[in-house]
Amino acid sequence: MSNHLPRPKTEDRRPKTQNPMKKITIAIDGFSSTGKSTVAKHLAKHLGYTYVDSGAMYRAVTWYAMKHHFIDKDHFDIDALVSHLDDIHISFVFNKDVGFAEVYLNDENIENQIRTLEVSSFVSRVAEISEVRSQLVKQQQKLGKGKGVVMDGRDIGSVVFPDAELKLFLTASPENRAQRRYDELIKKGDIVLYDDVLKNVQERDYIDSHREDSPLVKAEDAIEIDNSDMTKDEQFQIILELVNKTLK
Ligand code: DC
């Protein structure tokens, strides 16, 4: 018989998740640099859900197009990219050191390469192509088939998972978003100018919301959250309450 005393119970003050057995799909859409991926990662970790960064998939295709010289600032060979789509295999592999799944292109970890301003400057043009979209949407739907998924992007609530139980739409002012993206890039050691980052944010807003195929729109049943003046923690608490309400 063990003579160890039972451990004293400490009170867990973290907000409880309602009905943890029920698994739902959470779609988080919104403009670029609204902090979608930060909150989505945090939420997935908290709920024990899978996180899928759909923007990383569009970035991975862009990276492939750049590597193969299908796109640069003067030309874009759309036919060449489309004819190579079947050679592009994107996967997510959980890295326990960083606490989230990193993106791989044909077995090469490209998590850092896809976050540069250069990739950002081409990605909206790649994301406009219907063949690219339909290929990636199919893969995204497969990744979220079993529910228990948090996916962020532009068309998750409107196209990828129109039946998602919870749809969020994040917004913030362009200046606010540019500052966040600028701080991130500088922290990584990239040499960029705030004005260039702001210009890129505005250009991507325009292209993302005006493209013909699945433009960035707030799904009718999505809940809009303007996080311009919110801390990450405040936003997380609001979202957690919405999750709990949905799980009830
Ligand atoms: O979220 P992000 O900034 O990493 O996304 C990169 C680009 O990919 C963005 O400019 C628009 C596009 N995108 C999209 O069209 N649809 C998605 N579901 C996700 C991203």
Side-chain angles (χ1 to χ4, degrees):
M1 201 169 76
S2 157
N3 55 7
H4 284 293
L5 288 171
R7 276 166 181 268
K9 281 202 177 97
T10 51
E11 196 190 338
D12 185 351
R13 288 173 185 272
R14 281 175 304 177
K16 301 274 181 300
T17 303
Q18 300 279 339
N19 195 357
M21 297 307 282
K22 184 176 162 191
K23 297 266 185 220
I24 58 169
T25 300
I26 303 173
I28 305 185
D29 290 303
F31 291 99
S32 62
S33 304
T34 40
K36 296 182 300 291
S37 61
T38 306
V39 76
K41 267 182 213 162
H42 190 175
L43 194 59
K45 197 167 176 194
H46 184 88
L47 300 172
Y49 279 20
T50 302
Y51 164 60
V52 180
D53 175 354
S54 70
M57 299 170 81
Y58 289 94
R59 287 173 179 271
V61 175
T62 306
W63 169 251
Y64 182 95
M66 286 163 64
K67 280 267 130 191
H68 288 78
H69 307 287
F70 298 151
I71 193 166
D72 61 34
K73 63 179 179 31
D74 301 316
H75 93 297
F76 183 13
D77 190 342
I78 296 177
D79 292 340
L81 176 61
V82 169
S83 70
H84 279 76
L85 281 180
D86 287 340
D87 302 334
I88 302 178
H89 301 286
I90 301 168
S91 53
F92 290 92
V93 179
F94 189 77
N95 176 345
K96 65 176 175 12
D97 294 335
V98 294
F100 62 90
E102 293 180 320
V103 65
Y104 281 67
L105 171 68
N106 299 340
D107 296 326
E108 181 192 356
N109 183 333
I110 54 159
E111 183 61 35
N112 288 329
Q113 291 90 316
I114 61 166
R115 310 285 170 193
T116 62
L117 192 54
E118 201 188 0
V119 172
S120 299
S121 69
F122 296 131
V123 65
S124 286
R125 285 161 67 198
V126 170
E128 277 185 297
I129 302 163
S130 290
E131 289 87 344
V132 171
R133 300 205 72 82
S134 63
Q135 181 98 333
L136 294 187
V137 166
K138 250 190 274 157
Q139 291 181 28
Q140 289 152 7
Q141 288 171 335
K142 218 161 136 192
L143 288 167
K145 219 170 71 189
K147 293 204 174 270
V149 70
V150 184
M151 193 174 293
D152 75 321
R154 304 293 187 288
D155 59 344
I156 309 306
S158 54
V159 174
V160 182
F161 298 123
D163 297 329
E165 288 84 352
L166 180 60
K167 299 179 187 178
L168 304 173
F169 191 83
L170 305 191
T171 62
S173 71
E175 292 75 16
N176 210 297
R177 292 184 279 128
Q179 188 65 50
R180 289 179 197 164
R181 183 50 66 104
Y182 172 79
D183 292 344
E184 256 171 42
L185 291 167
I186 293 290
K187 202 166 149 196
K188 271 199 332 184
D190 288 4
I191 299 164
V192 289
L193 297 172
Y194 168 81
D195 285 349
D196 289 342
V197 178
L198 177 61
K199 201 168 144 230
N200 174 254
V201 162
Q202 289 167 329
E203 272 169 13
R204 283 204 290 152
D205 282 358
Y206 185 85
I207 302 178
D208 291 347
S209 12
H210 288 83
R211 67 173 172 239
E212 244 170 66
D213 190 344
S214 341
L216 168 66
V217 283
K218 175 176 161 297
E220 252 176 42
D221 48 349
I223 299 163
E224 183 166 335
I225 300 174
D226 183 335
N227 63 25
S228 301
D229 299 312
M230 268 181 210
T231 64
K232 282 182 188 164
D233 224 44
E234 284 166 349
Q235 173 173 249
F236 188 69
Q237 292 311 320
I238 291 173
I239 292 179
L240 210 51
E241 265 174 43
L242 293 169
V243 171
N244 281 331
K245 240 178 43 217
T246 312
L247 284 171
K248 258 186 205 162

